[in-house]
């Protein structure tokens, strides 16, 4: 579905992504892992067009994603849940969800009912401001907002960060349902290894901006974990 090859990105003079290759197979959950500061979020921001790339290719289906404006990528089917959630704190839950509607390609102007079925708390709090929700509720709102766009590829940047364990379990169940029952392709950045092992089909380890290992999730060995995931 998404194939990245030879991707290079810079912050000023700092070379942050080095000839990075990554394949995201359709219908699977791919987990990008690595220590803090190795380029995981930078990679997602490049995919979404929020950061420029210096060189390399990003093919989304038959489209050259590097030639697509950032604001047009949601219409192509890329749904993004950024690290830190980034919901609009002064808007209501309903208004936060409705923000995603213009990005839909089918013209629907109503938040789909299945989002409230997956996240009942959002239906209960439609009139509450986003900033008044707990961290876990805000994360559910951020995922719901991305789903409103009707994505074909859902991109999640550390969705369990700072979330209480019961909400982490709920988010895991939702991601599994979206992938296995609805066929949604997922690209997940995650540091919690049990969560990643529970959900992912494939993994990619990044270290200092380079993809250093990739494969099916059962191939993620203790040696790799010790080398690239432990602090």
């Amino acid at each position: 579905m998404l194939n990245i090859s030879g991707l290079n990105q810079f912050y000023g003079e700092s070379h942050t992504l080095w000839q990075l290759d990554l394949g995201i197979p359709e219908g699977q959950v791919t987990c990008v892992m690595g220590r803090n500061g190795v380029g995981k979020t930078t990679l997602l921001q490049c995919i979404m067009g929020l950061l420029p790339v210096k060189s390399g290719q990003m093919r989304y289906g038959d489209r050259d994603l590097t030639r697509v404006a950032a604001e047009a990528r949601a219409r192509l089917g890329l749904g993004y849940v950024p690290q830190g959630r980034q919901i609009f704190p002064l808007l209501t839950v309903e208004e936060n969800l409705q923000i995603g509607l213009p990005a839909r390609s089918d013209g629907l102007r109503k938040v789909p009912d299945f989002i409230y079925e997956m996240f009942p708390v959002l239906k209960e709090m439609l009139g509450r401001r986003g900033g008044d929700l707990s961290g876990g509720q805000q994360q559910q709102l951020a995922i719901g907002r991305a789903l409103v766009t009707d994505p074909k590829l859902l991109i999640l940047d550390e969705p369990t960060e700072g979330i209480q364990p019961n909400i982490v379990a709920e988010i895991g169940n939702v991601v599994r349902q979206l992938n296995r029952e609805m066929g949604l392709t997922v690209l997940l950045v995650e540091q919690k290894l049990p969560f990643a092992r529970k959900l992912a089909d494939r993994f990619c380890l990044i270290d200092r901006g380079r993809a250093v290992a990739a494969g099916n999730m059962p191939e993620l060995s203790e040696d790799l974990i010790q080398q690239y995931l432990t602090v």
Side-chain angles (χ1 to χ4, degrees):
M1 171 174 272
L2 176 63
N3 287 290
I4 298 170
S5 59
L7 189 67
N8 289 280
Q9 196 272 343
F10 288 78
Y11 279 123
E13 298 298 318
S14 178
H15 197 165
T16 53
L17 296 179
W18 295 71
Q19 290 293 120
L20 191 141
D21 297 337
L22 176 64
I24 311 298
E26 186 171 4
Q28 294 190 9
V29 178
T30 300
C31 185
V32 173
M33 310 180 77
R35 300 184 185 94
N36 289 332
V38 298
K40 304 184 302 295
T41 293
T42 296
L43 170 64
L44 300 191
Q45 292 177 338
C46 287
I47 293 172
M48 294 306 302
L50 303 176
L51 287 176
V53 299
K54 179 68 173 180
S55 62
Q57 291 188 337
M58 293 191 291
R59 303 292 303 184
Y60 178 67
D62 60 354
R63 298 291 297 269
D64 180 357
L65 206 55
T66 62
R67 297 181 179 273
V68 178
E71 60 271 17
R73 298 190 191 194
R75 286 187 174 274
L76 290 181
L78 301 180
Y80 181 44
V81 182
Q83 187 178 26
R85 300 177 280 278
Q86 297 183 22
I87 55 101
F88 294 94
L90 299 182
L91 298 184
T92 67
V93 167
E94 185 173 23
E95 290 167 339
N96 268 278
L97 292 171
Q98 289 172 339
I99 283 173
L101 290 172
R104 294 182 67 97
S105 60
D106 60 5
L108 182 70
R109 290 298 176 260
K110 176 181 177 294
V111 176
D113 291 336
F114 84 89
I115 292 175
Y116 298 128
E117 294 168 2
M118 288 187 165
F119 300 116
V121 68
L122 298 184
K123 189 170 186 179
E124 297 170 8
M125 298 184 172
L126 279 178
R128 187 172 297 187
R129 293 191 306 181
D132 294 334
L133 303 185
S134 70
Q137 291 164 349
Q138 288 185 7
Q139 188 63 274
Q140 292 177 82
L141 177 57
I143 296 172
R145 181 180 61 188
L147 293 175
V148 165
T149 67
D150 190 29
K152 306 300 182 291
L153 171 60
L154 179 64
I155 301 172
L156 302 165
D157 193 353
E158 299 206 28
T160 67
E161 183 181 31
I163 305 300
Q164 55 268 43
N166 63 313
I167 302 298
V168 169
E170 289 182 23
I171 290 172
N173 291 336
V174 165
V175 174
R176 185 184 300 105
Q177 182 180 354
L178 290 167
N179 173 248
R180 299 180 185 177
E181 297 180 18
M182 302 176 65
L184 186 62
T185 305
V186 179
L187 173 57
L188 169 69
V189 163
E190 183 53 60
Q191 297 240 52
K192 289 185 172 65
L193 189 59
F195 186 84
R197 284 198 183 278
K198 186 176 180 180
L199 294 178
D201 302 293
R202 295 182 54 78
F203 73 91
C204 175
L205 284 173
I206 294 181
D207 186 54
R208 298 179 184 178
R210 293 177 169 88
V212 293
N216 295 323
M217 201 62 187
E219 298 170 2
L220 181 58
S221 67
E222 289 301 317
D223 287 344
L224 286 173
I225 292 170
Q226 291 297 322
Q227 187 174 358
Y228 295 113
L229 295 180
T230 56
V231 177

